[in-house]
Amino acid sequence: AVTSTFMGAAVQAKAVRKAQASKQLAVRAEVYPEPGTYPGGDGETIIPFTDEKNAEREIIHGRFAMLGVTGAWAAENGTGIPWFEAGALCTPDDCTAIADKFPGAIAPLAPEGSGYPSFWAVIGIEIVTMGLAEAYRTGLTDPAFDELTVGDANPGGRFDPLNLAESGDLDELKLKELKHCRLAMFAWLGCISQAVWTKEGPIANWSAHVADPVHVNSMKYA
């Protein structure tokens, strides 16, 4: 059984028994700690785990959070534009403002005066790619790949190009991903909160705080 590394020695035995019992549940939650548990909680849940789909939902939300936090960090570092203002650069009237915002680009995304990038092209690509991914995941459409199975958040095969499933303990890797997912969801909540509170991006907030931690902190905006 795989137990969480953040649990203390006093609860290890109970965690092992709980993990073994959980294997009998008809869910894809063979990753531990179980959904709803928290560090130091002795296996107790904040919200009762009653829906077997919650395990899949948590990992998917966590993956989106990891992408979102990485995107917010990279975009503001690279362009100086905070994540909550990026949408203003691509509107139905004009989406060309993003063509030259990427540092290090040899050429803009599209020739000047071409009208591209197009807002409607961006929307169309997102609808098709995200729509197909969700249709495959939920079973609305027959999967295009043999590895895809409805409800399986870890399909493997061509979706594991680095062959991580064979490089180590798969259960341990799932646990590490779950921990990163939960951390990223908290981080994204922090990004949203600071955007509402300070009206600045996370990089700008962090840089200002590091430069003058005594005067630039949460009390400044209280």
Side-chain angles (χ1 to χ4, degrees), residues 34-93:
E34 291 183 356
T37 59
Y38 58 98
D42 197 21
E44 298 299 325
T45 60
I46 300 175
I47 300 175
F49 177 62
T50 56
D51 189 344
E52 62 186 40
K53 290 287 290 182
N54 283 345
E56 179 186 355
R57 290 166 180 155
E58 182 179 28
I59 206 74
I60 290 173
H61 279 80
R63 287 170 179 174
F64 273 116
M66 288 190 286
L67 288 172
V69 171
T70 302
W73 173 85
E76 188 175 348
N77 260 323
T79 67
I81 302 170
W83 65 271
F84 54 87
E85 293 181 1
L89 298 177
C90 187
T91 66
D93 295 328

Side-chain angles (χ1 to χ4, degrees), residues 194 197-200 204-205 208 215-222:
Q194 59 80 212
W197 199 2
T198 70
K199 312 300 182 187
E200 294 181 334
N205 280 160
H215 298 97
V216 183
N217 50 56
S218 60
M219 296 305 297
K220 174 184 177 180
Y221 302 95

